[in-house]
Amino acid sequence: MAIARWSPTTSLSPFRWDFDDLFTPFYRGSDIGSLFSDGGFIPSMESYTKGNELHLRAEIPGVSPKDVDISVEDIHLCIKGQRKRPDELSDADIGFEEMSYGCFERCFHIPRDADVQKMHAKYDNGLLDITIPLSKVSKGRHIPIEGVKEEKK
């Protein structure tokens, strides 16, 4: 009996069925829809600014901090890692599987005023928090559109 991975976003999607039917004749033996959906572990992320610090947080439960690499080049911050299948499951007969394993990589643009020399990261209870100090807080500005009268608020 073959074990099939169940995914609520792909297995029940009529769009995916149509997409697979459209491309299957050209890519026999492969599931083209899996290129977009079942590519392994993709951590959920969020970012926020508090004071003059930018925070990037990643949910990476089951990932050892030793298996995570954080790098910065110019204005790009990349987080790479791997969530490994536990050793006790390596020779087990899996009944069903909804958890994802594998390598991941997420890259983000960071502000040019980020002080990369003072960046730091901490890992606690499956949550990776990267703190990026900003040399100045940029508030942005309103840009009016020519020819449009602005109403006073």
Side-chain angles (χ1 to χ4, degrees), residues 12-14 16 20 25 46-47 51 57 60 72 77 87 92 99 104-106 117 119-120 125 136 141 144 149:
L12 301 176
S13 170
R16 169 141 181 228
D20 286 347
E46 68 181 359
S47 72
R57 296 192 328 168
I60 53 173
V72 176
L77 173 110
D87 290 337
M99 299 178 73
F104 63 89
E105 180 175 357
R106 302 288 311 265
Q117 301 304 318
M119 284 178 55
H120 62 277
N125 216 16
K136 62 184 176 197
R141 70 181 189 98
K149 276 191 175 179

mmCIF file of all heavy atoms in Angstrom, residues 12-14 16 20 25 46-47 51 57 60 72 77 87 92 99 104-106 117 119-120 125 136 141 144 149:
data_model
loop_
_atom_site.group_PDB
_atom_site.id
_atom_site.type_symbol
_atom_site.label_atom_id
_atom_site.label_comp_id
_atom_site.label_asym_id
_atom_site.label_seq_id
_atom_site.Cartn_x
_atom_site.Cartn_y
_atom_site.Cartn_z
ATOM 1 N N LEU A 12 -7.061 19.005 -2.239
ATOM 2 C CA LEU A 12 -8.480 19.248 -2.476
ATOM 3 C C LEU A 12 -8.738 20.382 -3.453
ATOM 4 O O LEU A 12 -9.850 20.794 -3.661
ATOM 5 C CB LEU A 12 -9.165 19.570 -1.138
ATOM 6 C CG LEU A 12 -9.045 18.482 -0.072
ATOM 7 C CD1 LEU A 12 -9.678 18.949 1.216
ATOM 8 C CD2 LEU A 12 -9.685 17.196 -0.544
ATOM 9 N N SER A 13 -7.705 20.881 -4.067
ATOM 10 C CA SER A 13 -7.841 22.052 -4.920
ATOM 11 C C SER A 13 -8.164 21.687 -6.364
ATOM 12 O O SER A 13 -7.352 21.083 -7.043
ATOM 13 C CB SER A 13 -6.536 22.850 -4.886
ATOM 14 O OG SER A 13 -6.567 23.848 -5.873
ATOM 15 N N PRO A 14 -9.342 22.076 -6.847
ATOM 16 C CA PRO A 14 -9.657 21.823 -8.254
ATOM 17 C C PRO A 14 -8.684 22.522 -9.197
ATOM 18 O O PRO A 14 -8.365 22.016 -10.256
ATOM 19 C CB PRO A 14 -11.066 22.398 -8.421
ATOM 20 C CG PRO A 14 -11.637 22.402 -7.050
ATOM 21 C CD PRO A 14 -10.469 22.634 -6.124
ATOM 22 N N ARG A 16 -5.515 22.869 -8.786
ATOM 23 C CA ARG A 16 -4.325 22.029 -8.909
ATOM 24 C C ARG A 16 -4.599 20.856 -9.844
ATOM 25 O O ARG A 16 -3.750 20.481 -10.634
ATOM 26 C CB ARG A 16 -3.896 21.517 -7.543
ATOM 27 C CG ARG A 16 -2.832 20.445 -7.691
ATOM 28 C CD ARG A 16 -1.766 20.504 -6.679
ATOM 29 N NE ARG A 16 -0.806 19.461 -6.928
ATOM 30 C CZ ARG A 16 -0.360 18.645 -6.012
ATOM 31 N NH1 ARG A 16 -0.752 18.754 -4.785
ATOM 32 N NH2 ARG A 16 0.510 17.726 -6.310
ATOM 33 N N ASP A 20 -2.388 20.243 -13.065
ATOM 34 C CA ASP A 20 -1.692 18.979 -13.300
ATOM 35 C C ASP A 20 -2.115 18.358 -14.628
ATOM 36 O O ASP A 20 -1.285 17.870 -15.381
ATOM 37 C CB ASP A 20 -1.959 17.989 -12.172
ATOM 38 C CG ASP A 20 -1.211 18.339 -10.896
ATOM 39 O OD1 ASP A 20 -0.305 19.194 -10.961
ATOM 40 O OD2 ASP A 20 -1.537 17.760 -9.855
ATOM 41 N N PRO A 25 0.986 15.788 -19.634
ATOM 42 C CA PRO A 25 1.474 15.186 -20.879
ATOM 43 C C PRO A 25 2.907 15.588 -21.223
ATOM 44 O O PRO A 25 3.625 14.851 -21.871
ATOM 45 C CB PRO A 25 0.507 15.719 -21.942
ATOM 46 C CG PRO A 25 -0.733 16.072 -21.204
ATOM 47 C CD PRO A 25 -0.271 16.509 -19.844
ATOM 48 N N GLU A 46 7.445 36.382 10.239
ATOM 49 C CA GLU A 46 6.813 37.672 10.451
ATOM 50 C C GLU A 46 7.906 38.690 10.729
ATOM 51 O O GLU A 46 9.026 38.321 11.110
ATOM 52 C CB GLU A 46 5.806 37.640 11.601
ATOM 53 C CG GLU A 46 6.404 37.452 12.978
ATOM 54 C CD GLU A 46 5.357 37.408 14.076
ATOM 55 O OE1 GLU A 46 4.152 37.538 13.778
ATOM 56 O OE2 GLU A 46 5.741 37.238 15.244
ATOM 57 N N SER A 47 7.595 39.954 10.494
ATOM 58 C CA SER A 47 8.546 41.016 10.819
ATOM 59 C C SER A 47 7.796 42.159 11.464
ATOM 60 O O SER A 47 6.611 42.374 11.190
ATOM 61 C CB SER A 47 9.287 41.495 9.564
ATOM 62 O OG SER A 47 8.424 42.246 8.742
ATOM 63 N N GLY A 51 10.678 50.426 18.199
ATOM 64 C CA GLY A 51 11.710 51.427 18.447
ATOM 65 C C GLY A 51 12.587 51.551 17.224
ATOM 66 O O GLY A 51 12.100 51.741 16.112
ATOM 67 N N ARG A 57 11.075 37.136 12.637
ATOM 68 C CA ARG A 57 10.869 35.927 13.442
ATOM 69 C C ARG A 57 10.430 34.789 12.542
ATOM 70 O O ARG A 57 9.653 34.970 11.625
ATOM 71 C CB ARG A 57 9.823 36.174 14.523
ATOM 72 C CG ARG A 57 10.285 37.212 15.512
ATOM 73 C CD ARG A 57 9.491 37.354 16.762
ATOM 74 N NE ARG A 57 8.078 37.090 16.656
ATOM 75 C CZ ARG A 57 7.281 36.939 17.715
ATOM 76 N NH1 ARG A 57 7.781 37.031 18.926
ATOM 77 N NH2 ARG A 57 5.998 36.717 17.570
ATOM 78 N N ILE A 60 10.330 27.684 13.616
ATOM 79 C CA ILE A 60 11.097 26.525 13.156
ATOM 80 C C ILE A 60 11.123 25.436 14.225
ATOM 81 O O ILE A 60 12.199 24.996 14.650
ATOM 82 C CB ILE A 60 12.520 26.927 12.699
ATOM 83 C CG1 ILE A 60 13.253 27.734 13.778
ATOM 84 C CG2 ILE A 60 12.482 27.700 11.400
ATOM 85 C CD1 ILE A 60 14.710 28.008 13.438
ATOM 86 N N VAL A 72 24.250 37.717 5.939
ATOM 87 C CA VAL A 72 23.862 39.010 5.373
ATOM 88 C C VAL A 72 24.873 39.386 4.313
ATOM 89 O O VAL A 72 26.077 39.296 4.531
ATOM 90 C CB VAL A 72 23.829 40.114 6.456
ATOM 91 C CG1 VAL A 72 23.522 41.463 5.831
ATOM 92 C CG2 VAL A 72 22.822 39.788 7.526
ATOM 93 N N LEU A 77 19.263 39.434 3.721
ATOM 94 C CA LEU A 77 19.442 38.553 4.872
ATOM 95 C C LEU A 77 18.863 37.202 4.480
ATOM 96 O O LEU A 77 17.722 37.124 4.010
ATOM 97 C CB LEU A 77 18.700 39.089 6.099
ATOM 98 C CG LEU A 77 18.716 38.133 7.269
ATOM 99 C CD1 LEU A 77 19.607 38.698 8.362
ATOM 100 C CD2 LEU A 77 17.334 37.910 7.806
ATOM 101 N N ASP A 87 15.362 10.420 14.167
ATOM 102 C CA ASP A 87 15.991 9.115 13.948
ATOM 103 C C ASP A 87 15.053 7.954 14.251
ATOM 104 O O ASP A 87 15.092 6.930 13.575
ATOM 105 C CB ASP A 87 17.260 8.980 14.793
ATOM 106 C CG ASP A 87 18.373 9.877 14.285
ATOM 107 O OD1 ASP A 87 18.351 10.251 13.090
ATOM 108 O OD2 ASP A 87 19.266 10.210 15.084
ATOM 109 N N ALA A 92 10.624 3.296 10.655
ATOM 110 C CA ALA A 92 9.232 3.051 11.035
ATOM 111 C C ALA A 92 8.338 2.975 9.800
ATOM 112 O O ALA A 92 8.646 3.553 8.758
ATOM 113 C CB ALA A 92 8.741 4.155 11.967
ATOM 114 N N MET A 99 3.480 16.297 8.606
ATOM 115 C CA MET A 99 4.616 17.145 8.955
ATOM 116 C C MET A 99 5.582 17.202 7.777
ATOM 117 O O MET A 99 5.682 16.256 7.009
ATOM 118 C CB MET A 99 5.305 16.605 10.200
ATOM 119 C CG MET A 99 4.372 16.580 11.399
ATOM 120 S SD MET A 99 5.143 15.909 12.855
ATOM 121 C CE MET A 99 6.239 17.241 13.289
ATOM 122 N N PHE A 104 15.358 24.344 3.945
ATOM 123 C CA PHE A 104 14.612 25.554 3.647
ATOM 124 C C PHE A 104 15.585 26.712 3.496
ATOM 125 O O PHE A 104 16.710 26.674 3.991
ATOM 126 C CB PHE A 104 13.565 25.872 4.719
ATOM 127 C CG PHE A 104 14.145 26.155 6.079
ATOM 128 C CD1 PHE A 104 14.516 27.443 6.449
ATOM 129 C CD2 PHE A 104 14.309 25.132 6.996
ATOM 130 C CE1 PHE A 104 15.037 27.696 7.700
ATOM 131 C CE2 PHE A 104 14.831 25.383 8.257
ATOM 132 C CZ PHE A 104 15.201 26.674 8.609
ATOM 133 N N GLU A 105 15.140 27.741 2.781
ATOM 134 C CA GLU A 105 15.899 28.976 2.644
ATOM 135 C C GLU A 105 14.916 30.114 2.447
ATOM 136 O O GLU A 105 14.046 30.047 1.578
ATOM 137 C CB GLU A 105 16.845 28.906 1.453
ATOM 138 C CG GLU A 105 17.665 30.163 1.273
ATOM 139 C CD GLU A 105 18.704 30.061 0.158
ATOM 140 O OE1 GLU A 105 18.825 28.976 -0.448
ATOM 141 O OE2 GLU A 105 19.367 31.068 -0.104
ATOM 142 N N ARG A 106 15.030 31.130 3.272
ATOM 143 C CA ARG A 106 14.203 32.328 3.150
ATOM 144 C C ARG A 106 15.143 33.523 3.097
ATOM 145 O O ARG A 106 16.039 33.645 3.919
ATOM 146 C CB ARG A 106 13.251 32.484 4.353
ATOM 147 C CG ARG A 106 12.293 31.330 4.605
ATOM 148 C CD ARG A 106 11.163 31.223 3.601
ATOM 149 N NE ARG A 106 10.440 32.428 3.336
ATOM 150 C CZ ARG A 106 9.302 32.800 3.925
ATOM 151 N NH1 ARG A 106 8.757 32.037 4.839
ATOM 152 N NH2 ARG A 106 8.707 33.922 3.587
ATOM 153 N N GLN A 117 26.498 44.945 11.881
ATOM 154 C CA GLN A 117 27.530 44.547 12.853
ATOM 155 C C GLN A 117 26.938 44.291 14.232
ATOM 156 O O GLN A 117 27.529 43.583 15.040
ATOM 157 C CB GLN A 117 28.617 45.630 12.940
ATOM 158 C CG GLN A 117 29.315 45.920 11.623
ATOM 159 C CD GLN A 117 29.924 44.670 10.993
ATOM 160 O OE1 GLN A 117 30.515 43.842 11.667
ATOM 161 N NE2 GLN A 117 29.765 44.536 9.688
ATOM 162 N N MET A 119 23.723 43.092 14.664
ATOM 163 C CA MET A 119 22.613 42.129 14.570
ATOM 164 C C MET A 119 22.857 40.973 15.523
ATOM 165 O O MET A 119 23.996 40.579 15.758
ATOM 166 C CB MET A 119 22.510 41.556 13.153
ATOM 167 C CG MET A 119 21.917 42.477 12.158
ATOM 168 S SD MET A 119 21.886 41.733 10.503
ATOM 169 C CE MET A 119 21.030 40.221 10.771
ATOM 170 N N HIS A 120 21.769 40.418 16.041
ATOM 171 C CA HIS A 120 21.898 39.210 16.849
ATOM 172 C C HIS A 120 20.628 38.375 16.702
ATOM 173 O O HIS A 120 19.589 38.869 16.272
ATOM 174 C CB HIS A 120 22.208 39.529 18.320
ATOM 175 C CG HIS A 120 21.151 40.326 19.010
ATOM 176 N ND1 HIS A 120 21.071 41.694 18.913
ATOM 177 C CD2 HIS A 120 20.130 39.937 19.804
ATOM 178 C CE1 HIS A 120 20.050 42.120 19.622
ATOM 179 N NE2 HIS A 120 19.452 41.084 20.171
ATOM 180 N N ASN A 125 12.289 27.979 22.189
ATOM 181 C CA ASN A 125 11.046 27.224 22.080
ATOM 182 C C ASN A 125 10.511 27.159 20.643
ATOM 183 O O ASN A 125 9.317 27.316 20.411
ATOM 184 C CB ASN A 125 10.006 27.842 23.015
ATOM 185 C CG ASN A 125 9.109 26.799 23.639
ATOM 186 O OD1 ASN A 125 9.412 25.613 23.623
ATOM 187 N ND2 ASN A 125 8.006 27.243 24.197
ATOM 188 N N LYS A 136 18.822 54.752 12.124
ATOM 189 C CA LYS A 136 17.855 55.835 12.289
ATOM 190 C C LYS A 136 16.483 55.278 11.960
ATOM 191 O O LYS A 136 16.335 54.336 11.188
ATOM 192 C CB LYS A 136 18.188 57.014 11.388
ATOM 193 C CG LYS A 136 18.143 56.666 9.904
ATOM 194 C CD LYS A 136 18.564 57.814 9.048
ATOM 195 C CE LYS A 136 18.569 57.331 7.600
ATOM 196 N NZ LYS A 136 19.272 58.122 6.701
ATOM 197 N N ARG A 141 7.421 59.514 4.135
ATOM 198 C CA ARG A 141 6.738 60.793 3.951
ATOM 199 C C ARG A 141 5.590 60.605 2.986
ATOM 200 O O ARG A 141 5.558 59.660 2.195
ATOM 201 C CB ARG A 141 7.695 61.869 3.471
ATOM 202 C CG ARG A 141 8.195 61.698 2.054
ATOM 203 C CD ARG A 141 9.166 62.826 1.670
ATOM 204 N NE ARG A 141 9.484 62.771 0.265
ATOM 205 C CZ ARG A 141 8.906 63.506 -0.676
ATOM 206 N NH1 ARG A 141 7.974 64.370 -0.340
ATOM 207 N NH2 ARG A 141 9.250 63.383 -1.938
ATOM 208 N N PRO A 144 2.227 63.828 -2.368
ATOM 209 C CA PRO A 144 0.959 64.230 -2.987
ATOM 210 C C PRO A 144 0.959 63.938 -4.489
ATOM 211 O O PRO A 144 2.012 63.917 -5.130
ATOM 212 C CB PRO A 144 0.904 65.735 -2.718
ATOM 213 C CG PRO A 144 2.331 66.142 -2.527
ATOM 214 C CD PRO A 144 3.045 64.956 -1.971
ATOM 215 N N LYS A 149 -6.525 68.052 -5.379
ATOM 216 C CA LYS A 149 -6.595 68.904 -4.192
ATOM 217 C C LYS A 149 -6.732 68.003 -2.975
ATOM 218 O O LYS A 149 -7.552 67.079 -2.963
ATOM 219 C CB LYS A 149 -7.796 69.826 -4.246
ATOM 220 C CG LYS A 149 -7.564 71.070 -5.021
ATOM 221 C CD LYS A 149 -8.722 72.023 -4.780
ATOM 222 C CE LYS A 149 -8.445 73.345 -5.464
ATOM 223 N NZ LYS A 149 -9.554 74.275 -5.265
#
